[in-house]
Amino acid sequence: MLISRKTSGWDLNNELSKVGVRWLLVGAVGVYLFYRLRLIPANATVNVGVAGTLNYVYIGGFLALTALVNLGSHVFLVVRKRTTHTISRKFKYVSMAFDLIMVTALLPPTGGRQSMFFLVYLIVIVSNGMRYGMRLSLIALILFNILYVGVLFLETYPSLVLQDFSTEGLKILGVWFVGIYIGYLARRFEHLQNEVDHYRKMIREMSGGKRP
Amino acid sequence: MSGPVENGQGRGGSSEGESSLRRGNINFDVLEPETPADERPAPTDRSGKTEELPSKRGIFDTDRKSSAIRPHHVLLWVTIFSVSLLSLVAILTTASSVIWMLALPVVLLSLVWSAIMLGLYKARPR
């Protein structure tokens, strides 16, 4: 029998595991960012990333918002797991969009386009692509592209001129390549999974004397 | 997807059971349908992710009627692919404004889509 995603709670289990990973990242990133803030001398001018973002207000607000939304998501998913065992198919799109927005918000205070947290985009895109397939991969890539351009926009405003445009373009291209390849692998896996399920059903029916 | 035993519409009378397994399990019947679309029952579930997959396209099935690939379709895909590739190279090598980055999703999606269509066409069974 083919597995129905909705009735098996596939999406729900995936989202619960993502919530756990989010808690881990909030903790790790929070510790790192506050450590960075303590290293900055008082009244020092910070020339990292977008000006005016590496401060307690921005970092505290970012972490508080992430923790709040994650907590709400966690509670919602736990309740759903105990009651209906399913969630709306739209939920994964919303959670993926939230993850990408949070990663984008993390870039300005940590170096902007030179931030090491750019790699977290890949983690989000790969994990969502592997779980949910090509469609979500493509949506994630488009959203990533737009959000990252927003970061570049903030860094280069008002001139909007990038000295290393081709480098940034190749970075974006690299992420696209990874996302599309992951989406392709996920789609192929799903197709093979359906083939296996179909053959199992066929064998079961044939061994029972019934033709499919 | 109808199983190999059921797929009695395999091409050229070849082993029907193997028609759905050729070339990496990708079903190419969508490119050269053997039965007119009118004679095939319309699938009721657009997602294709149901227990019963009524047509030979399996999980790739849609409600659209199929038609053979015409030469002008291939020419269109080649054109889109070429234009997308040239646009991508031009943007990466000559642009300097951040706004041009917003063109990358459009260019990349058209490049990937046209490449997939050309790849499927080239890899079709003869």
Side-chain angles (χ1 to χ4, degrees), chain B residues 42-120:
Chain B
T44 55
D45 184 359
R46 290 184 64 86
S47 71
K49 295 176 183 171
T50 58
E51 191 168 337
E52 294 297 326
L53 297 167
S55 84
K56 58 185 177 180
R57 296 196 194 130
I59 64 172
F60 300 111
D61 194 19
T62 67
D63 290 339
R64 291 196 308 269
K65 289 183 181 179
S66 59
S67 59
I69 304 299
R70 308 276 183 224
H72 66 269
H73 290 152
V74 180
L75 187 62
L76 179 68
W77 296 334
V78 169
T79 305
I80 292 174
F81 180 82
S82 307
V83 169
S84 303
L85 189 61
L86 288 172
S87 304
L88 181 66
V89 172
I91 290 173
L92 289 178
T93 55
T94 62
S96 61
S97 172
V98 168
I99 302 299
W100 279 107
M101 291 278 188
L102 291 174
L104 285 179
V106 178
V107 170
L108 286 168
L109 282 173
S110 64
L111 184 70
V112 167
W113 173 77
S114 57
I116 288 171
M117 296 308 292
L118 284 173
L120 286 175

Side-chain angles (χ1 to χ4, degrees), chain A:
Chain A
M1 177 179 293
L2 290 177
I3 297 173
S4 164
R5 283 184 174 180
K6 194 167 185 183
T7 57
S8 70
W10 170 276
D11 287 4
L12 192 148
N13 289 331
N14 276 329
E15 292 303 313
L16 271 172
S17 69
K18 281 166 67 178
V19 161
V21 173
R22 243 179 249 129
W23 281 126
L24 202 65
L25 287 175
V26 165
V29 170
V31 167
Y32 170 74
L33 288 177
F34 279 114
Y35 172 73
R36 283 287 301 270
L37 281 171
R38 284 180 62 87
L39 290 180
I40 299 172
N43 302 322
T45 302
V46 176
N47 293 321
V48 175
V50 179
T53 53
L54 188 59
N55 53 60
Y56 284 99
V57 173
Y58 185 96
I59 301 299
F62 164 79
L63 290 172
L65 179 65
T66 309
L68 197 65
V69 172
N70 203 37
L71 180 65
S73 175
H74 199 169
V75 169
F76 171 75
L77 290 169
V78 166
V79 167
R80 279 296 187 131
K81 193 172 174 71
R82 292 180 182 180
T83 54
T84 60
H85 305 286
T86 60
I87 52 173
S88 166
R89 286 180 190 265
K90 294 183 181 61
F91 188 91
K92 58 182 177 278
Y93 295 97
V94 174
S95 78
M96 180 202 66
F98 173 75
D99 289 340
L100 289 172
I101 290 169
M102 286 297 109
V103 174
T104 305
L106 187 57
L107 292 186
T110 55
R113 64 182 188 267
Q114 294 162 358
S115 171
M116 64 181 179
F117 290 104
F118 177 85
L119 294 174
V120 182
Y121 276 130
L122 278 173
I123 296 173
V124 173
I125 289 169
V126 166
S127 71
N128 282 285
M130 284 303 297
R131 291 174 207 271
Y132 299 122
M134 178 66 94
R135 181 187 300 175
L136 208 83
S137 260
L138 288 175
I139 294 172
L141 287 170
I142 294 170
L143 195 56
F144 146 75
N145 203 129
I146 294 170
L147 291 171
Y148 187 62
V149 169
V151 173
L152 298 177
F153 184 91
L154 283 176
E155 274 201 54
T156 57
Y157 186 80
S159 67
L160 301 184
V161 173
L162 262 179
Q163 299 301 329
D164 51 349
F165 185 97
S166 51
T167 305
E168 296 302 320
L170 287 173
K171 276 167 65 175
I172 292 175
L173 203 63
V175 174
W176 269 84
F177 175 76
V178 169
I180 286 170
Y181 188 61
I182 290 297
Y184 161 74
L185 289 178
R187 184 155 213 166
R188 188 171 172 84
F189 175 77
E190 181 184 350
H191 182 69
L192 292 173
Q193 180 77 36
N194 287 340
E195 291 270 1
V196 168
D197 291 339
H198 180 77
Y199 290 139
R200 278 184 184 156
K201 179 190 170 190
M202 197 167 68
I203 289 169
R204 199 164 46 243
E205 288 176 354
M206 288 175 74
S207 63
K210 297 177 188 176
R211 298 287 296 175

